[in-house]
Amino acid sequence: QVQLVESGGGLVQAGGSLRLSCAASGRTVSSYAMGWFRQAPGKEREFVAAISRSGIRTYYAHSVKGRFTISRDNAKNTVYLQMNSLKPEDTAVYYCAGKMDYSDLYYTGSYEYNYWGQGTQVTVSS
């Protein structure tokens, strides 16, 4: 079983950048496909980005494509979400999620993930 802890959230002005980190412990993150999701107040949790075990395959929600980059460093047991050109509508609690995987694919449905972090707040001011 893997434990996930997010960090790097905070308050930033529109147009700014943040890098979120998701540190894994308990098991090596290289066994897991990973994803980032977010949930704004009063809204359902939504998919943001996903990455396969090896990092070769990535996928993004349309709303963040071209602005966000997901990456992973399996040697450091960490997954990242670089967020650039932030907008007020990016304000949400951001969660990382893991799914044990043997196929080196990515996954976009929250129901597909078994492990979740506690979330980190990102607030973008206008």
Side-chain angles (χ1 to χ4, degrees):
Q1 181 167 329
V2 66
Q3 291 81 44
L4 304 173
V5 178
E6 303 95 335
S7 62
L11 173 64
V12 64
Q13 287 189 332
S17 298
L18 284 174
R19 187 176 81 157
L20 305 183
S21 298
C22 174
S25 62
R27 293 196 65 166
T28 175
V29 76
S30 61
S31 299
Y32 295 81
M34 300 296 293
W36 285 95
F37 293 77
R38 66 188 182 186
Q39 188 166 19
K43 295 187 176 181
E44 293 186 355
R45 188 172 297 188
E46 65 173 358
F47 167 77
V48 175
I51 190 166
S52 64
R53 285 179 57 195
S54 68
I56 288 177
R57 296 176 179 84
T58 58
Y59 190 79
Y60 299 89
H62 178 74
S63 59
V64 307
K65 194 172 184 180
R67 300 188 297 122
F68 290 11
T69 302
I70 188 170
S71 63
R72 64 192 300 158
D73 186 337
N74 287 342
K76 294 184 178 180
N77 248 15
T78 304
V79 178
Y80 304 97
L81 185 68
Q82 177 68 43
M83 306 186 296
N84 298 328
S85 302
L86 282 160
K87 304 175 181 180
E89 51 264 44
D90 294 318
T91 295
V93 177
Y94 283 71
Y95 299 90
C96 72
K99 169 185 168 58
M100 182 166 282
D101 184 61
Y102 302 96
S103 59
D104 206 19
L105 299 177
Y106 57 75
Y107 301 87
T108 62
S110 60
Y111 65 92
E112 299 179 281
Y113 289 87
N114 311 104
Y115 304 99
W116 293 83
Q118 82 291 348
T120 185
Q121 176 70 46
V122 171
T123 303
V124 184
S125 63
S126 57

